[in-house]
Amino acid sequence: IFSFTKSVSEVLCNQYFGLRLQKDTSLLKLFLSILCHSCRMPGSVPANGEATWPKDVGVIALEIYFPSQYVDQAELEQFDGVSAGKYTAGLGQARMGFCSDREDINSLCLTVVQRLMEQNGLSYDQVGRLEVGTETIIDKSKSVKTVVMQLFEESGNTDVEGIDTTNACYGGTAALFNAVNWVESSSWDGRYALVVAGDIAVYATGSARPTGGAGAIAMLIGPNAPLAFDRGLRGTHMQHAYDFYKPDMGSEYPVVDGKLSIKCYLSALDRCYAVYRNKIHAQWQREGVDRRFSLEDFGYMVFHSPYCKLVQKSLARLLLNDFLSHTSPDTETGPFSGLEAFRDVKLEDTYFDRDVEKAFMKASTEMFEQKTKASLLVSSQNGNMYTPSVYGCLASVLAQHAPQDLAGQRIGLFSYGSGFAATLYSLRVSQDATPGSGLDKLCASLFDLKARLDSRRKVSPAVFADNLQLREKTHHLAPYVPQGSVEDLFPGTWYLTRVDEKHRREYARRSLNDSDRPLEAGMVNSTTASEHIPSPVKKMPRIPASTAGPEAVTISNGDH
């Protein structure tokens, strides 16, 4: 089981055979225990510890929610009086989703969680950890997670670990890592973890406004997942910068240094990629694999997407990293063809070098088409969702590829949050793409993603501007009754009904049957039958249902 030096092995063999002759098994176990403890540092993981970890921990199910209305970016260009193509061709954005005052971060998360649970036939007592990642803060003390816990009330399950995580767009990834680490730890009790990433991205009038968006992602985390985390392969970079931040507690709008933000994003990408490559090279050496890792080893590469054009530039940036780190790149044929003039450039000098950017974007065109373009469906059609952004890109890949095309692939993900925090990591797609497999079900759950995006209602830029002005005027206003139309929301959407004089928020759910009758928390009213996903551990202790009073029509964020 353990790796020993030759002398220790000899002692072990001699003692083992001696003890076997004596048939003293208890003494043998004691001896082995003492020997094992003497061969590792205090606190270190035994060499066989990995065998005790749950297998293939990762994403089992995924649900996405975005608002039911959007503004067309080409029309917004005209409305804002900017040159044609500035938002569309320049940023790569086609449409931008946005919320009326009927929706806030609590309602977004309530909606996406209940949809995931209903669509996958899950009961709330199957969840042992709930993590929320968001930077849309409406309360400096009470977490969004505690509001979402109202969905668990009917099940009686209050034994749910986890809380909110905040650092700009990185909070969703931090929440995801917390959930994965929990499943792989001694704290795991056999139930699923649930991760929610949600945000409403809005900007003051100006050049940053077209990079907004809104939405939420919910992910079910557990073992034997169709999208399993590559263990030990995370490249992380953390640093201090004031590139994007929200110091005004009375406003939804951030303070943005656009140029610095791009520099921070690209420099974090460089450093995370370098760390990731070093780790996978070390892993390969231990396995006896003697070759270089490159961008070609990712079947798909998805990025946090503030706007789509930056994603295309980021893929080109990774190709630049491969080129500069290669000991003898072939500049005659292949992806590095014709790039010999850039052999001696330094990464830190190229963040705003147009010649380098243009050359490597051209060189990576085919790779972009194959590995990344499909990931930009949600980003181009709905905008930047902040913490769910990179996971909206992941959902876009799953929605547009057959399970057979995805099977066995390695998907690279780069998550970035201003301030700044970033990680590049990878998921391995299951080899099993047969009908009814976990991968098949995951892809099937997202097959209608484009149709859902197309079913939204387009509104004029003037209506969009009026909505943002209303949100600005009523931000943190109490008491307050929202003015937005409930009829315009998607069926099954949770919405804000009122804020009382103590800032307590109450919510109702629009019926899945397209009527206006609100639904109470925790009810399963799916109009389509979904196959039940069992708990990771078959014999799960079920928590007795509470014996509460009459059912309520609305839910609130409760008293302190």
Side-chain angles (χ1 to χ4, degrees), residues 65-69 98-108 111 200 214 252 471 482 484-485 488-490 493-496 505 507:
Y65 169 75
F66 37 78
S68 60
Q69 58 190 355
F98 68 96
C99 298
S100 72
D101 64 342
R102 280 290 178 185
E103 295 187 271
D104 61 14
I105 185 57
N106 291 339
S107 69
L108 294 185
T111 298
I200 298 172
E252 286 190 288
R471 291 185 66 93
S485 170
D488 291 336
L489 301 174
F490 282 131
T493 300
W494 284 96
Y495 59 91
L496 182 67
R505 293 171 177 251
Y507 301 88

Side-chain angles (χ1 to χ4, degrees), residues 58-240:
V59 180
I60 296 173
L62 186 151
E63 180 61 44
I64 182 171
Y65 169 75
F66 37 78
S68 60
Q69 58 190 355
Y70 71 90
V71 61
D72 183 270
Q73 292 276 18
E75 293 180 5
L76 192 60
E77 289 171 344
Q78 296 178 352
F79 182 79
D80 290 345
V82 302
S83 58
K86 184 173 182 179
Y87 303 160
T88 50
L91 297 177
Q93 300 303 117
R95 300 171 177 176
M96 178 168 50
F98 68 96
C99 298
S100 72
D101 64 342
R102 280 290 178 185
E103 295 187 271
D104 61 14
I105 185 57
N106 291 339
S107 69
L108 294 185
C109 293
L110 285 164
T111 298
V112 77
V113 168
Q114 187 152 15
R115 285 190 175 188
L116 180 136
M117 300 297 284
E118 289 176 350
Q119 292 301 317
N120 292 282
L122 293 161
S123 60
Y124 286 92
D125 58 4
Q126 291 175 264
V127 177
R129 190 175 186 94
L130 172 60
E131 294 271 349
V132 175
T134 184
E135 63 172 277
T136 306
I137 309 300
I138 57 176
D139 191 289
K140 292 181 288 184
S141 177
K142 183 174 176 60
S143 68
V144 175
K145 182 260 180 75
T146 59
V147 178
V148 177
M149 283 303 300
Q150 291 172 106
L151 295 175
F152 289 69
E153 288 180 359
E154 186 178 352
S155 72
N157 180 18
T158 59
D159 179 21
V160 182
E161 297 184 5
I163 210 72
D164 292 7
T165 303
T166 301
N167 190 91
C169 302
Y170 188 78
T173 295
L176 177 59
F177 288 173
N178 288 343
V180 171
N181 293 344
W182 176 72
V183 174
E184 291 188 341
S185 76
S186 62
S187 298
W188 187 49
D189 64 3
R191 292 181 292 171
Y192 291 115
L194 189 59
V195 176
V196 188
D199 275 302
I200 298 172
V202 289
Y203 294 85
T205 305
S207 59
R209 176 158 280 191
T211 62
I217 291 276
M219 293 176 280
L220 189 71
I221 308 302
N224 305 312
L227 301 182
F229 273 73
D230 267 331
R231 282 203 176 109
L233 294 182
R234 298 184 194 171
T236 294
H237 179 73
M238 302 274 176
Q239 192 174 334
H240 164 66

Side-chain angles (χ1 to χ4, degrees), residues 265-273 303 314 317-318 414 424:
Y265 182 104
L266 296 177
S267 66
L269 178 61
D270 290 341
R271 295 176 186 185
C272 289
Y273 188 48
F303 301 81
S314 296
R317 186 83 191 172
L318 293 184
F414 175 68
L424 192 153

Side-chain angles (χ1 to χ4, degrees), residues 29-59:
K29 291 179 182 179
L30 176 61
F31 169 78
L32 288 174
S33 175
I34 295 171
L35 180 59
C36 291
H37 280 287
S38 68
C39 291
R40 67 175 190 266
M41 293 293 292
S44 65
V45 178
N48 71 329
E50 186 171 336
T52 66
W53 291 342
K55 183 181 179 183
D56 294 334
V57 176
V59 180

Side-chain angles (χ1 to χ4, degrees), residues 431-445:
Q431 295 280 1
D432 185 3
T434 58
S437 65
L439 178 59
D440 181 62
K441 292 177 182 177
L442 180 58
C443 293
S445 71

Side-chain angles (χ1 to χ4, degrees), residues 337-405:
S337 177
L339 297 175
E340 61 274 2
F342 305 102
R343 187 61 183 147
D344 296 324
V345 301
K346 296 181 179 179
L347 278 174
E348 59 270 22
D349 297 333
T350 61
Y351 298 128
F352 302 104
D353 188 318
R354 292 294 181 88
D355 292 333
V356 171
E357 180 182 283
K358 184 178 179 180
F360 281 86
M361 283 184 70
K362 181 179 179 181
S364 61
T365 299
E366 183 178 350
M367 194 176 291
F368 173 75
E369 292 287 331
Q370 295 173 351
K371 298 181 184 293
T372 302
K373 186 176 180 179
S375 72
L376 296 178
L377 173 64
V378 171
S379 182
S380 65
Q381 297 296 312
N382 187 54
N384 183 8
M385 299 186 291
Y386 285 167
T387 55
S389 172
V390 67
Y391 303 104
C393 292
L394 176 62
S396 298
V397 170
L398 298 172
Q400 297 178 89
H401 291 89
Q404 293 77 14
D405 297 330

